Amino acid sequence: MSIVIAVDGTAASGKGTLAKKLAAHFGFAHLDSGALYRLTALAVLEAGGDPKDESDAVRGAQTMDLSRAGDPAIRTDIVGRAASHVAAIPAVRSALLEFQRNFLAHPPGGGPGAVMDGRDIGTVICPSATAKLYVDARPEVRARRRWNELKGMNLRRAEQDVLAELNARDAADRSRPIAPLKQAPDADLLDTSDLGIDAAFAAALALVKPKIEGALKDRQRG
């Protein structure tokens, strides 16, 4: 297994941005696991399927287009809600589990490690990760961030509606029977409520750097 940084947390907490910056800092590969479920949801919706239907959702997982990971369409609230539904289906999680574990075991580009962010990376996908972070922030702070993100994509929404949808998403993710959103016992908690991105990254780096540098030294000695 390569060196792995698992970054879990709530929606709009900043975990994706932090994961990308950590990957760039250490020269590791990066994968947003949430994008896999959003791409699956998008494939289901574009095919006219039902995200709650197992056969439709599994077909979406099998036909998702990874080249669209940067498509703004997957960041809409509609796709986000659909992603919560497909992510609660065991057959979909099984279909994507091997892909994620293979990415961590063999990072693209042949580098020494990988950073993956999501909701169950440190608890299910890679419980043996070298370093684990659980990123969170107050709901109203996360709602404002998501509202600004949507506004930047010319998607006009009422901020209170965004907050309500975030709260509903949190509840669904935390209560699902399969791989629920929760902090791994050995994950470091990082609350970004009152931190800008630079301060949040400095805090994240301080938490994971000793573990990653120790693992890199062990690999060199080995």
Side-chain angles (χ1 to χ4, degrees):
M1 177 63 73
S2 64
I3 298 170
V4 174
I5 301 175
V7 183
D8 291 306
T10 51
S13 60
K15 66 181 183 298
T17 300
L18 291 174
K20 290 176 185 176
K21 290 178 76 68
L22 287 169
H25 178 85
F26 291 109
F28 289 179
H30 169 255
L31 178 65
D32 169 11
S33 72
L36 301 179
Y37 293 97
R38 285 176 174 270
L39 287 168
T40 296
L42 182 65
V44 173
L45 294 173
E46 290 186 341
D50 180 359
K52 297 180 182 178
D53 181 82
E54 180 174 316
S55 61
D56 286 350
V58 171
R59 191 176 303 112
Q62 295 168 340
T63 59
M64 67 172 179
D65 184 358
L66 283 173
S67 70
R68 297 183 67 182
D71 189 334
I74 72 169
R75 298 298 167 187
T76 63
D77 289 337
I78 293 173
V79 172
R81 287 195 298 273
S84 279
H85 292 312
V86 300
I89 298 174
V92 172
R93 303 198 75 87
S94 295
L96 298 177
L97 179 62
E98 184 178 353
F99 177 90
Q100 293 173 84
R101 286 183 171 166
N102 185 64
F103 181 96
L104 294 176
H106 309 286
V115 183
M116 188 177 292
D117 61 277
R119 285 168 172 73
D120 65 344
I121 311 307
T123 54
V124 175
I125 305 300
C126 189
S128 62
T130 314
K132 299 180 185 180
L133 288 177
Y134 185 86
V135 187
D136 201 359
R138 295 188 297 274
E140 61 272 16
V141 173
R142 294 188 287 119
R144 170 55 64 93
R145 291 172 180 169
R146 178 55 54 82
W147 179 76
N148 282 325
E149 180 184 10
L150 293 171
K151 188 168 65 171
M153 294 187 292
N154 291 318
L155 298 171
R156 303 294 176 179
R157 299 291 310 284
E159 191 170 344
Q160 283 304 113
D161 290 343
V162 175
L163 175 59
E165 288 169 358
L166 266 181
N167 285 332
R169 177 86 188 270
D170 288 347
D173 289 343
R174 289 185 172 119
S175 63
R176 69 187 181 213
I178 303 296
L181 168 65
K182 62 181 179 180
Q183 182 179 349
D186 55 344
D188 291 307
L189 174 64
L190 176 58
D191 189 322
T192 65
S193 298
D194 302 309
L195 300 177
I197 186 56
D198 290 339
F201 174 64
L205 187 60
L207 290 170
V208 306
K209 190 175 182 180
K211 298 172 184 176
I212 301 306
E213 289 187 341
L216 289 170
K217 288 178 182 177
D218 288 344
R219 173 166 291 198
Q220 291 170 354
R221 285 196 293 266

